[in-house]
Amino acid sequence: MWKKRKPAIQIKSRDQLAVMREAGLVVGRTLQRLSEAVKPGITTAELDAIAEESIRSEGATPSFKGYQGFPASICTSVNEEIVHGIPSSTKVLAEGDIISIDCGAIVDGWHGDSAVTVPVGEISSELQRLIEVCEESMWRGLAAGRAGGRLSDIGHAVETYVRGQGPYGIVEEYVGHGIGTQMHMDPAVPNYGEAGHGPDLVPGMCFAVEPMINLGTPETVLLGDDWTVITGDGRRSAHFEHTFAVTEDGPWVLTALDGGRGAGRD
Ligand code: MG
Ligand code: MG
């Protein structure tokens, strides 16, 4: 008999999660180095060089490089760029900018994927607040990734938090994802929706939670380079991402250096 197929979600063993943790730590340490390197006058190509050196020096492989033809080891998305900005030697960071740095690494075939948004020098209080709201919404989503819950609990937690903070735009065209032996796997993990829908969350599942929050409307535009996604209204956007595993003890944030105690792991 033909049987209707549900999207298969890869379940990792304890040993496989340990390798994903190694990949996650490479990403976490690399993003820490990059955050410290961000300053007015540095180019996004210089940041990319630091990232590639950091990842390879730990014996890992940059997962973005060559992914569907992407030319660099990180995505660098400045100001109105939301995600997938391409590092460039002509893109010079300036005081007051904000930059999203998205990084992925592979260890023994297992992936980690994480992003942070970092201020360049002094930024306005409005932008500082945007960054804080975006990061906290990610943590709310991670905290909702508990065994016994449902997949849509994650997006619901992100959306509920953001809606309570002001008239921010939650990007809908780009979403989080399953992750494991590939960077992008089933299922999609939206940053919005009702709770209590979708697959049951089971220990060993891994997901990347990555809210993209705009100061203005949620609309997006894809630039002619076929990579860079910008806001439709030209206002600025923030992006945070962590990879986590569902465990019996709560979410284990594989790309957080402390394992994500902020997400309430017991
Ligand atoms: Mg990413
Ligand atoms: Mg991702």
Side-chain angles (χ1 to χ4, degrees):
M1 278 300 278
W2 180 82
K3 190 160 180 287
K4 188 175 170 191
R5 195 179 75 89
K6 287 196 284 189
I9 303 178
Q10 189 177 56
I11 306 285
K12 286 76 167 173
S13 69
R14 194 176 288 263
D15 288 349
Q16 290 167 337
L17 287 182
V19 184
M20 284 190 69
R21 173 62 168 157
E22 289 308 309
L25 286 172
V26 171
V27 173
R29 286 190 287 260
T30 298
L31 284 174
Q32 188 172 53
R33 291 175 188 125
L34 291 167
S35 299
E36 288 163 5
V38 166
K39 60 177 190 290
I42 197 167
T43 69
T44 52
E46 289 174 292
L47 293 174
D48 181 52
I50 292 169
E52 181 162 8
E53 164 65 20
S54 171
I55 294 167
R56 294 199 192 279
S57 73
E58 299 210 36
T61 305
S63 37
F64 293 8
K65 196 145 194 177
Y67 179 82
Q68 295 181 358
F70 192 78
S73 296
I74 50 173
C75 297
T76 50
S77 306
V78 180
N79 294 338
E80 76 281 3
E81 297 169 353
I82 302 171
V83 285
H84 304 163
I86 302 172
S88 164
S89 58
T90 61
K91 188 91 172 183
V92 183
L93 296 183
E95 183 91 18
D97 287 346
I98 59 173
I99 178 173
S100 150
I101 305 172
D102 194 342
C103 179
I106 310 167
V107 172
D108 294 340
W110 295 91
H111 287 252
D113 185 10
S114 180
V116 292
T117 296
V118 182
V120 183
E122 290 285 312
I123 61 170
S124 68
S125 57
E126 180 183 54
L127 290 177
Q128 188 61 47
R129 182 82 189 123
L130 172 70
I131 288 173
E132 288 168 6
V133 167
C134 185
E135 181 170 18
E136 179 62 21
S137 75
M138 172 192 67
W139 285 110
R140 300 290 177 113
L142 292 164
R146 303 188 76 86
R150 304 283 289 272
L151 183 70
S152 78
D153 297 351
I154 296 170
H156 180 70
V158 172
E159 178 176 16
T160 302
Y161 174 74
V162 174
R163 297 276 181 243
Q165 300 307 308
Y168 295 101
I170 302 173
V171 171
E172 296 187 2
E173 283 102 335
Y174 300 87
V175 295
H177 48 90
I179 181 168
T181 49
Q182 299 171 53
M183 179 164 57
H184 294 141
M185 306 181 77
D186 280 339
V189 183
N191 294 301
Y192 56 88
E194 293 177 12
H197 296 280
D200 295 324
L201 298 181
V202 172
M205 290 180 172
C206 295
F207 306 101
V209 177
E210 50 178 318
M212 290 144 269
I213 307 298
N214 299 347
L215 263 187
T217 66
E219 276 75 44
T220 70
V221 174
L222 179 63
L223 293 187
D225 63 13
D226 267 348
W227 280 107
T228 312
V229 179
I230 65 168
T231 56
D233 61 8
R235 299 189 71 193
R236 294 189 186 190
S237 182
H239 173 218
F240 279 85
E241 176 178 25
H242 269 313
T243 296
F244 84 97
V246 179
T247 80
E248 301 284 4
D249 307 319
W252 181 15
V253 186
L254 302 169
T255 46
L257 296 180
D258 69 356
R261 284 191 286 270
R265 187 170 183 239
D266 304 324

